[in-house]
Amino acid sequence: MTRQLLIIGSGAAGMLAALEAVSHGVHPVLLTKAELGAGNTGEAQGGLSALTALGVSRGDSVQAHVSDTLNAGAGHCAPHAVSTLCQDSPDLVTRLEALGVHFDRDPAKNYQLGLEAAHSAHRILHIGGDATGKGLVNALGAACRSQQEAGALEIIDHAMATELCVREGRVSAVRYLRDGQQQVRSADAVLVATGGIGQLYQSSTNPAGATGDGIALAARAGAAISDLEFVQFHPTMVDPVKYPGVGMISEAVRGEGAWLINDAGERFMLQIDERAELAPRDVIARAIHAQQLAGYQVFLDARHVEAAQGTGFLAKRFPSITARLAACGLDLAADQIPVTPAQHYLMGGVLTDLEGRSTLPGLYAAGECANSRVHGANRLASNSLLDAMVFARRAIRAMLTDSADQHADLPPTDSRRLPAARTGKPIDLPELQRIATQTLAVYREASALQQTIARLDASTAQAADERTLAELENLLLVARLIAHAALARTQSLGAHYRVENPEPRTGERTSWQLSPTDERQHTDEAKEIFA
Ligand code: SIN
C-alpha cells in the first residue's frame, strides 16, 4: 500500500526529501510556510562540506572529516552519527548533480574546493562562489516544480503547520493555517524540516521565517527535544547598526586568509588560538564578544588577500558578498569591514536517530530543526547543508518501511520535563527578542537565566493576527527550552559558555519533553478526521 508522506518545510532538507519520496514512487505532500526555498538554505554562502575524489587525491578522507567534526563539536557529537554523515557525503553529491546542481569547477573541470574554519582540508563545494544556498534552492526548487507539474508531488504553499495530531500514540495528521482557514491533512508519516530559530534574536543571519516551528510542533506533540542550550553565533555579521541588512560574511573569506583586527590594530586571534582566524566558530565568536566588552570594535580585513592574489580576486571569489557590501559603500578589497557575532544556527532540536526518526512514532525530523547529534556543542562550518540532506534522504527511506510504532531508540539521556507554562504577562516579539539577545547569547550567567525563566514561563504570547501569534508562541516555547537547558548545563561546552564556569567540561546530553499539560490536546477538527 502506498504511504502518504507529508513533509513540512521547503529548504534543502524538505525539498530533497520530497524528491527522494517521488523517486520511490510515492506521491508526497510538501507543505511550506512561504514559497519553495524561502528559508535558511537560500542564505547559505560557504557551501557543502563533502568528500570528493579530488579531495581524496589531495589527502582528504572520511576519517579526517569525521575527526574535524568531532573536534569542533567539543566532544558532544555522537561519533557513529558523524561517521554516517561523512560517509554519505559522496553519494549525496552524486544525487545533487543528477538533480541539476552545479558545483563550481575550474577550467580543467575539477571542483574548486574551499576551506573554512576548523577543517583540516579544502573540502567545501560551493556554487556561484558564495551563493551556494541560492544555487541549491534554485536547482531543487526547479526539480520539485517539475515533479509537481508531472502530478508526482503536491505542494501546499503559504501554509503554516500549527499542530501535529497524535492518534493512538503516533503522529497521523497535520493541522495548518492557510488563507486564514484551519485545515487538516492526514498522513502515515510526517517529516518536519522547518529550519532554524533566528527570529528569536535581535540580530541573526536567518531569514524572517526562522521561528522554530518544527521544534515547537514536535515538542507539543510529545517528542523529545535535546541540546537546545547550544546556539551558534556566526562571528562575522556586518555591523547591523551601521550597515543594516548587509548580513554575514562567509567564513570562507577567512578561509582565503582574511584577518580579524580590532580598532587598536591588533590581530587578537593570534593570542587566543593557534588556528587564529580558522579556530572553531564558537571560539572566534567568544573572542570578538570579549573584544567588544573590552570596548574595542572588530573588523574583518581581507585587503592583504587581494594584494597577494591580485586585483579582482575577492570580487570573483565572493561576488554576492562584494555586491551587498558595495550597496552600502563598502569594499572587501579596500576597506576593513566592521563585524559582530550574530545568531546563526541551533545545534539542538528534535532528537533523532540515524534514520531521522524522532522519539514519537510517525514523526521524523531533518535539517536545522532536528538534532541528529552530528554537531555536538558547536557545528563545523558547512556541515549544515550536509546534515540536512543526508538525514532527509535517510528519513524518507525509513518513513516508507517503518512499522507503525517504530521510533528512535537512542542511548539514555539526562531526561527532563519542562515545567508547565503559566498564563501570565503578555509578551510581544520585540520584548522576547530583547530578553533572548541579552541572556541566551554568547555568554550565559545563572541569575540572568533564572530571571529569563521566571519571565518566560509566565508569559502569554501577544500578536496582531493568528499566523503571527502561532509563530510567536513557537518562539516563546523554544526560548523557554533554551533557557531551561542553558541553566541546567552549569558547565561551559562549545557554544554554551557559562561565565561562572568558563573551563569546558563535557557532560551528558539532556533531552526535554513538555509537561503533559503543555502537550497540545486534540482539536475538534483533528478529531473529526479520525472519526
Ligand atoms: C559561512 O559561509 O560562513 C556559513 C557557513 C555555515 O554556516 O556552515
Side-chain angles (χ1 to χ4, degrees), residues 6 51 83-84 98 161 219 262 272 276 289 291 308 358 368 442 452 499 513:
L6 196 149
L51 189 68
S83 295
T84 300
N262 66 17
I272 292 171
H289 187 65
Q291 289 286 315
S358 77
E368 189 172 345
V442 176
T452 291
V499 290
Q513 276 181 274

Side-chain angles (χ1 to χ4, degrees), residues 45-47 116 232 234 248-252 281 344 379-384:
Q45 296 179 6
E116 289 179 11
Q232 184 168 75
H234 194 284
M248 71 171 182
I249 299 194
S250 175
E251 216 158 60
R281 209 170 263 182
H344 182 58
R379 175 174 65 78
L380 182 68
S382 287
N383 266 358
S384 55

Side-chain angles (χ1 to χ4, degrees), residues 158-162 175-182 466-467:
H158 299 282
M160 175 160 176
T162 53
R175 195 164 175 255
Y176 62 94
L177 187 62
R178 188 162 196 260
D179 294 332
Q181 304 286 317
Q182 284 287 354
E466 198 178 357
R467 150 100 191 231

Side-chain angles (χ1 to χ4, degrees), residues 100-147:
V101 173
H102 297 291
F103 293 106
D104 293 338
R105 293 176 184 256
D106 65 17
K109 303 276 179 251
N110 289 320
Y111 290 122
Q112 292 177 327
L113 298 176
L115 179 70
E116 289 179 11
H119 283 273
S120 59
H122 283 71
R123 63 166 76 94
I124 316 297
L125 294 162
H126 46 82
I127 304 172
D130 57 358
T132 307
K134 293 238 163 14
L136 263 181
V137 297
N138 288 346
L140 295 179
C144 282
R145 266 180 233 103
S146 114
Q147 293 299 345

